Amino acid sequence: MADEPERRSIHSDDGPITRERILETALEIVDRDGIDGLSMRRLGKALDRDPMTLYRHAPNKAALLDGLAERVLDELEVDTGDGDWATQLREVARGFRRLALAHPQVVPLLVTRPLSTPLGLRPLGTLRPLEDILTLLTRTGFTDADALHVYRALFGFLYGHVLNELQELVERPEESDDLLRLGLHRLPIGEFPLLRGLAPVLASYDGAAELERGVDILLAGLTATLKRGDSSPPE
Amino acid sequence: MADEPERRSIHSDDGPITRERILETALEIVDRDGIDGLSMRRLGKALDRDPMTLYRHAPNKAALLDGLAERVLDELEVDTGDGDWATQLREVARGFRRLALAHPQVVPLLVTRPLSTPLGLRPLGTLRPLEDILTLLTRTGFTDADALHVYRALFGFLYGHVLNELQELVERPEESDDLLRLGLHRLPIGEFPLLRGLAPVLASYDGAAELERGVDILLAGLTATLKRGDSSPPE
DNA sequence: CTCAGGCTGTCAACACTGTAGATCTACAGT
DNA sequence: ACTGTAGATCTACAGTGTTGACAGCCTGAG
């Protein structure tokens, strides 16, 4: 793609480091080795540069992690066209889930990083989905405030669902018995009868279906609850 | 409270270290200084013991963090008596929120730690709420599987709500203007008109009310969605 | 009583972490 | 040609989790 005629350094990599490239390789490392696998030194080595170079492009490691979360969240697309708001929200939910499954190791960052930064000071990329959803909803008749509430409910549920699904994901494929595969065998039968009984259900967890069901519940609840008040659009 | 006649060591603290005491002071540290403020050495110092002592009671720092999450979650009470399931769930939601607000620094641990451990191998204390809610729901007529779905929906939403609320919590009290206090002033007016316009609403965030509204939506959606199928209870 | 074994606590050491400070290089503008 | 500046590199420091060897105590067996 990029092959500059002049090479300004001994390095085999092309050109000076950009924030983009840093975040990209950082994402690779995190995707592969988890968050704890990312250290400045390792990142530097992966970029074939001295680790200290990174501090020219980010003040902190924390800032770098923020950037990572932003970068991943940037891939979330929100259709702000004026279609059916319900299906649009559903599409957002699916997109978010897709994102989370593509980068499971980043999800803790995604849901946790914003805790450290006040809303207004967050990277713009992080706020884009919020603004998009607000426009999407207000366009179809929601109050600003109601739109905000819907956003909160949706992302509240999304965060939670994704965390739940990622938990459920851990398995031990070598075992065939559900109880064993899930590690439930160890639970005292007397104290956890229901949980143990649910082994087969737990074993056949379907995240996509679970999400759809959740969104169903949410949308049903939303239309039912918001009906009293302003002009909430139908269907 | 405790003043043993015989002192078995030079230390001013009483008796040998217990896992309980470790987790307790660890919780204090985390509540005060955040998760990053907790190191084995600091914890050791707080307990007036050599840091290495801790490894007699926990194999890892990770295990210690797990224990912390478990300890906090243990405070969640679930009324498994046969009352109105909806209000019972609502009470669980309130309890969880109370917990999160009491130990905001632990919340990331709470929602994130289980990701590393398969469900069945998690500390029993962590699974207790799940089992309790299952009994609570099945007792009132839900299918096992449906009860599980309800649990998932509820805690999905709870996790998300709590994360959202804690984000919203950050403020800067020195400012009086909402835009400034939230740091929204910096946002380009052209790109984030709605978000900026919502400053007053954002500034007057009421977590409790937001939770209630969320639970309203959830319960409304649940009763509406689960109605087709088995015998879902009324009310 | 003596002795072994197992907890609990302590110490020193290792490999690593994030990052401050100084230094070096190379290019841009006057 | 000189300077300013931004990027990159090096060194060094304080702090991290954890391993392995060692000392003391308590308990139970012989």
Side-chain angles (χ1 to χ4, degrees), chain A residues 108 111-112 114-115 118-122 124 127-128 130-131 134-135 138 144-146 148-149 152-153 155-157 159-161 163-164 166-168 170 172 182-184 186-188 191-195 198 201-202 205 210 213 216-218 220-222 224-226, chain B residues 108 111-112 114-115 118-122 124 127-128 130-131 134-135 138 144-146 148-149 152-153 155-157 159-161 163-164 166-168 170 172 182-184 186-188 191-195 198 201-202 205 210 213 216-218 220-222 224-226:
Chain A
V111 304
T112 273
L115 292 184
L119 190 140
L121 298 182
R122 296 222 270 275
L124 294 189
L127 297 176
R128 177 62 34 74
L130 170 51
E131 177 79 16
L134 289 181
T135 67
T138 51
D144 288 17
D146 275 349
L148 183 61
H149 286 128
R152 279 184 183 140
F155 269 77
F157 167 72
Y159 280 13
H161 166 81
L163 286 170
N164 267 339
L166 289 183
Q167 292 184 19
E168 226 84 39
V170 198
R172 31 186 63 191
L182 298 168
L184 292 175
R186 166 196 70 114
L187 299 186
E191 303 184 42
F192 295 90
L194 293 169
L195 198 44
L198 279 173
V201 184
L202 285 167
Y205 180 84
E210 204 73 32
R213 180 190 300 254
D216 282 345
I217 293 173
L218 198 72
L222 275 176
T225 310
L226 289 181
Chain B
V111 303
T112 273
L115 293 184
L119 191 141
L121 297 183
R122 297 223 269 276
L124 293 189
L127 297 176
R128 177 63 32 73
L130 169 51
E131 177 79 16
L134 289 181
T135 68
T138 51
D144 288 17
D146 274 350
L148 182 60
H149 285 129
R152 280 185 183 139
F155 269 77
F157 167 72
Y159 279 14
H161 167 82
L163 285 171
N164 268 337
L166 289 184
Q167 293 183 19
E168 227 83 41
V170 198
R172 33 186 62 191
L182 298 168
L184 293 176
R186 166 194 69 115
L187 300 187
E191 303 184 41
F192 295 90
L194 293 170
L195 197 45
L198 279 174
V201 184
L202 285 167
Y205 180 85
E210 202 73 32
R213 181 191 297 255
D216 282 344
I217 294 174
L218 198 71
L222 275 175
T225 310
L226 288 181

Side-chain angles (χ1 to χ4, degrees), chain B residues 29-107:
Chain B
I29 294 182
V30 169
D31 277 340
R32 182 161 17 91
D33 302 329
I35 296 182
D36 295 337
L38 179 75
S39 78
M40 301 303 257
R41 286 166 162 85
R42 262 219 262 283
L43 183 50
K45 189 157 292 181
L47 287 163
D48 204 21
R49 294 288 192 294
D50 188 284
M52 283 307 122
T53 306
L54 303 171
Y55 287 88
R56 301 286 159 190
H57 303 267
N60 258 343
K61 184 183 182 182
L64 223 153
L65 292 179
D66 286 340
L68 214 93
E70 181 187 9
R71 200 216 121 101
V72 169
L73 197 60
D74 243 18
E75 296 178 11
L76 182 65
E77 292 179 4
V78 176
D79 171 22
T80 55
D82 47 351
D84 176 22
W85 64 277
T87 66
Q88 277 169 317
L89 288 190
R90 209 185 217 95
E91 211 49 60
V92 171
R94 289 183 185 137
F96 187 79
R97 170 168 182 269
R98 225 177 298 128
L99 226 82
L101 291 186
H103 308 282
Q105 309 271 69
V106 189
V107 169

